[in-house]
Amino acid sequence: MNALAVVASDALLPARNQMALSLGWHIILACFGMTFPAMIFVVHRRGLRGDDDALELAKRWSKVAALLFAVGAVSGTILSLEMGLLWPGLMERFGDVVGLAFALEGISFFIEAIFIGMYVYGWGRLPGHLHSLTLLPVIAAGILGSFLVISVNAWMNAPTGFRIVNGEVVDIDPAAAILNDAVWLQYLHMYLAAVMVVGFVVAGVYALLLLRGQTGRIYRLGLIVPLAFACVATPLQPLVGHFAGQRIADDQPIKLAAIEGLVESEERASLEVGGLFIDGELRGSVEVPIPGLLSFLAQNDFDAPVVGLDAVPPDERPPVGIVHLAYTMMVGIGLSLVALVGWVAVQWLQARRRGETWTAGRRLLKAVVVAGPAAVVAMETGWITTEVGRQPWIVHGVLRTEDAVTDAPYIWVTLTTLIVVYAALSFAIVAVLASMSRRWAAGERELVVPYGPPEPLDTQNLQSRMTDLPS
Amino acid sequence: MTLVDAVAISMFAGITLYAIFGGADFGSGVWDLTAGNAEKGGPLRRLIDHAIGPVWEANHVWLIFVLVFLWTGFPTAFAAMMRALGLPFWLAGLGIVLRGAGFAFRKFTRSLRWARVAGIVFAVSSLITPFFLGTIAGAVASGRVPVDERTGLWEPWLNPTSLLGGILAVLTATFLAGVFLAAKADQLQATDLADVVARRSLGVGLVVGAVAVLGIVPLAVDAETIFSGLTTAGAPLQVLSAVAGTTTLLALRNRRLRQARIAAVVAVGSVVVGWGVGQYPWALVDELSLDDAAASSPVLWGLTLATGLAALLVVPSLTALYVLADREPESA
């Protein structure tokens, strides 16, 4: 048993890193799956009402979506393999508890893949109105599927729907596991994050193109539609985040202590902002001069006690430094994005009062370019906060990560391989999208793109050239 | 039929569909690999792009479906497989990633050199995934996946039955893809191309038949449990497969390519279903029965519900996609 434990801990570090890389990479593509179809739908419907620029934009975006979805399908398949290959101890004990969510998610992913295929191949094959409607199942399946995946993660934070009797998992209630306490706010938080990521990233791309001298109306449309989505989601996010944080205060008080860098439990706890958690204490932070603010934020009561790290033995505490830093970054970026939305709103209102159409100035465009990657970083640091903050547990309070990990000796090798492959894939995706953008700007209309419809097959040509093929 | 059986059947239906649609998809990579140099192979490669472009993504969701059913319905069997067969699973996964990427980027790259690199990645990785999935099937079928014991890294999947499984998986995938591609070329009225592919598929089909017959020897020695299952309860399906296989070959020879397509699906499908029947009632042959591996009944009911939803929602929309993909655009 002792030997087993040593081997297991060898795989723990690379396995956690590999899972972080796989999830962190896939989640960006998943954001596009969740929210991009809705944006495409908006411009496609506009195009059907006679706006040719919007129709062309929908066509271009459908090709982008096809590429991102296909790569996302592949990285999603890798994740489902990794659930078992990296965490057999989790799947063995709880695979059946969380499995229904995955099974239903599999069906919604199927629907998503099928209808996105119909949409991408529907240009010229389906009548316009019906064609645009094939996006609706994609949108619905994206919402449902991501809800189910988030429900599994929320279940790991607030496990329910089973009992443990003599070490055996019994009385499994799959529906209760899906509809656990943490899922609603966590899902809302993630959905808004996805809208922000896709909204700012796509708007940022078009802002960059406008800054580089593109002038067509199609580019302004490409800026405004995703930016409008992001502007709706961004101001709501801090509010949802606040309530999600209150759930954490109830479900996982130690995670909250790590987030705040609170070492000792205290009543009337004050809120410390920023700083780094080094050598067991928070350094360089700024205390907000409202006594009991943290208590109020966590419990709606300025005098309420807030649990500190000292409430549990050291081996049940997460790595506080990472959690606190990641959380600080997420909140800092999130609030900056709210300020950016405020800026957009003020400008828009001013233009409206003057009776003009709003056009973004260069400084605002530059800010939107930065907002794209910033939103991605905010989402990733949010995931780091919740995932690292749950450690050492893989299922909070029930199963330790070190007891769930594989004992395979080669996880460093698979991790290294994945780093190389995903780096190459990331490069290829960006290069392909940039090349598509250049060719569109140069006036090409019928691009051949990865996963898009092929060029019409010239069968005459096929014929003549096949004749000299030796059999 | 018990609830456990129902869930096992759903899962095996997923495996069968993946073997057929995913298999044809992977097999087309083998055709790509052997199509010849850039100029001679051009028409065939364009045909492959044309045929699998719209559907390959949906084809691969079957694998996710099977994995999810396995870990939800039979979690102990799933965990045991992941522990004993980690390496082939990783290699199959690597093949899936590289293949998707290679296929996508080959079509897009504009220089021949990079198209060639991407094409080679696509084609070689098309071999990797079915081969290693085949070795996994062989490992389960020959009783080499224990539940509570440690295994070595290699021996569970480097053995006669696994190798037979891997080789047969690659060959049947190639065969299926050939038949599908020939039928597609015929539909596009590229008769010469259809002719060439049909002729070669006939050759591949004969090899598949020969390997399947010769494979009886290692199976009888190395995997007694499944061998007796295949020769008793599974026997009718083996006969059906042989008949359908022969029909496919005859249809190929007579260039009745639509018939060949149907017969090939029946031939491959009945081999896979035959494996399931031959293995019943084991989840992991000789190690773990389906009943012992199965999750509790609320979970199994949930999966049955999911199967119903899949039949209700996925099957009609998938059919619509295949129909749409088969249709040529109006603007062309």
Side-chain angles (χ1 to χ4, degrees), chain A residues 326-349:
Chain A
Y327 177 78
T328 307
M329 286 173 69
M330 174 190 76
V331 172
I333 294 172
L335 293 177
S336 311
L337 292 174
V338 173
L340 174 65
V341 169
W343 185 10
V344 173
V346 168
Q347 282 209 348
W348 184 76
L349 284 172

Side-chain angles (χ1 to χ4, degrees), chain A residues 329-400:
Chain A
M329 286 173 69
M330 174 190 76
V331 172
I333 294 172
L335 293 177
S336 311
L337 292 174
V338 173
L340 174 65
V341 169
W343 185 10
V344 173
V346 168
Q347 282 209 348
W348 184 76
L349 284 172
Q350 282 175 346
R352 217 176 100 141
R353 200 177 306 145
R354 290 195 300 269
E356 300 165 2
T357 10
W358 171 68
T359 46
R362 291 190 72 83
R363 274 170 59 197
L364 183 65
L365 286 178
K366 283 179 187 165
V368 173
V369 172
V370 177
V376 173
V377 173
M379 178 193 59
E380 298 285 2
T381 47
W383 275 105
I384 291 171
T385 305
T386 186
E387 289 302 289
V388 179
R390 194 187 53 242
Q391 303 304 320
W393 304 102
I394 192 166
V395 180
H396 177 72
V398 178
L399 182 65
R400 280 173 169 268

